[in-house]
Amino acid sequence: MNTMISIAFALALSVVQTVQDDGNSQANSNDSAKVTQKSESAEVAKLKKDPLYPFIAKQNKLVERNGTEYIENEANLLILANKDYLMQSTYIPSDLVRPNVEFSFGNADIEKAKMRKVAGTALEEMFKGAKAAGYELYAVSGYRSYSRQEEVYQAEVKAKGEAKAGEAVAVPGTSEHQTGLAMDMSAKSAGLALSAAFGETAEGTWAKENAHKYGFILRYPEGKEKVTKYEYEAWHFRYVGKDAAAIIYKNNWTLEEFFEHVKLLDDKLKKAEQA
């Protein structure tokens, strides 16, 4: 009898121990999962602290129409319009204004005297900054509609041929001028012309070195022709906002290179979130 009781007690003790072991194992597994989850969350949190993180949402969003991809979020202040990303012919910014700055053509209230409001305000500040530093800048050409770009492009094709024209003049739909965020500028020391000579002037040098403080970048810098696919344009400045401009200037990037790095960060973040 005592032997049977001892055996029953031993079996019961074994079952209890097994349950405890299973419980501990499950607890350890849960603890391990929590640690892994915390580690993953830490990685995501780290990526979200990257200065480029806010710009992930500012990437081009594309839509296909009649077999061609177009930029859908055209009103995006960080729109990347180039030979690879097209705007639709119907896009016209809704907030075009005439900045209160000096223009090379005087006071004429014409299409190219306009910019989107936020860019126009920033241009006014930039020109004030230049004047305070002892330099006088002149705005030459801002907004350009799709139809006007078509005229400019066809004139260049007629003068230089299609292959050569594409190096200097944007195909309609790919011009930053259609965004209303770009302004060509010059100075009297450069004859108010849009030429590489402007980049050699004191005014052009000041503009290149200080534009980022006002939210602008030199859009087609020298030595980056293979990246932008355009010739060097010392006169073409593009508004992107102070935060983006500071990053681009610091890293000596083009807008294309800026968004290449934004895309890399976006990919890393998605991978970390899915892990």
Side-chain angles (χ1 to χ4, degrees):
M1 185 68 176
N2 290 337
T3 302
M4 292 179 64
I5 292 174
S6 297
I7 293 173
F9 179 75
L11 288 172
L13 185 61
S14 176
V15 170
V16 170
Q17 185 64 47
T18 300
V19 171
Q20 288 179 338
D21 289 344
D22 287 345
N24 291 336
S25 177
Q26 183 63 40
N28 290 336
S29 178
N30 290 338
D31 289 343
S32 178
K34 288 179 181 178
V35 171
T36 301
Q37 188 175 6
K38 286 182 180 178
S39 177
E40 290 169 356
S41 298
E43 177 64 17
V44 170
K46 178 183 177 182
L47 291 171
K48 287 185 176 181
K49 289 180 180 179
D50 191 294
L52 294 177
Y53 174 71
F55 304 105
I56 288 177
K58 299 297 183 180
Q59 297 177 96
N60 283 347
K61 292 178 175 61
L62 305 178
V63 60
E64 186 176 320
R65 291 196 171 93
N66 300 319
T68 301
E69 279 194 330
Y70 294 96
I71 302 169
E72 185 176 30
N73 55 334
E74 293 163 315
N76 172 23
L77 289 176
L78 273 163
I79 181 175
L80 176 60
N82 58 23
K83 294 185 178 182
D84 297 316
Y85 298 109
L86 284 74
M87 288 175 287
Q88 299 169 82
S89 61
T90 54
Y91 177 64
I92 299 174
S94 61
D95 57 348
L96 293 170
V97 298
R98 189 183 195 279
N100 184 23
V101 298
E102 293 292 330
F103 284 87
S104 62
F105 46 81
N107 296 321
D109 189 13
I110 54 181
E111 181 180 274
K112 67 180 182 178
K114 297 180 179 181
M115 295 185 81
R116 289 189 60 182
K117 187 175 181 179
V118 65
T121 300
L123 189 75
E124 293 173 358
E125 293 303 313
M126 180 175 170
F127 276 40
K128 287 178 184 176
K131 184 165 287 189
Y135 306 109
E136 191 168 24
L137 296 172
Y138 285 81
V140 178
S141 184
Y143 171 67
R144 191 180 303 148
S145 64
Y146 184 97
S147 58
R148 176 56 183 155
Q149 187 65 33
E150 179 72 40
E151 294 174 2
V152 173
Y153 178 72
Q154 290 302 332
E156 193 75 7
V157 169
K158 186 175 181 180
K160 299 180 180 179
E162 190 166 355
K164 199 68 178 175
E167 295 178 7
V169 177
V171 173
T174 69
S175 172
E176 280 207 327
H177 286 283
Q178 190 184 343
T179 70
L181 297 168
M183 178 61 75
D184 293 337
M185 58 185 71
S186 191
K188 287 183 178 179
S189 57
L192 297 180
L194 300 180
S195 68
F198 173 64
E200 302 300 317
T201 66
E203 293 87 350
T205 299
W206 183 91
K208 178 182 177 181
E209 294 178 353
N210 293 276
H212 65 284
K213 299 175 184 176
Y214 306 91
F216 287 90
I217 60 170
L218 179 63
R219 182 64 180 88
Y220 306 116
E222 191 171 16
K224 298 279 189 173
E225 291 84 355
K226 289 184 179 179
V227 177
T228 63
K229 299 180 183 177
Y230 282 106
E231 297 175 345
Y232 164 52
E233 294 189 0
W235 60 88
H236 184 111
F237 288 82
R238 157 70 192 275
Y239 181 79
V240 294
K242 291 182 180 180
D243 291 342
I247 294 172
I248 290 170
Y249 179 79
K250 179 181 178 181
N251 291 282
N252 191 32
W253 287 342
T254 62
L255 194 56
E256 283 82 5
E257 290 168 317
F258 173 80
F259 275 114
E260 283 176 8
H261 285 83
V262 170
K263 179 64 167 58
L264 287 173
L265 177 64
D266 191 13
D267 290 342
K268 287 181 181 178
L269 184 59
K270 287 176 180 176
K271 186 176 180 180
E273 289 174 334
Q274 293 171 0

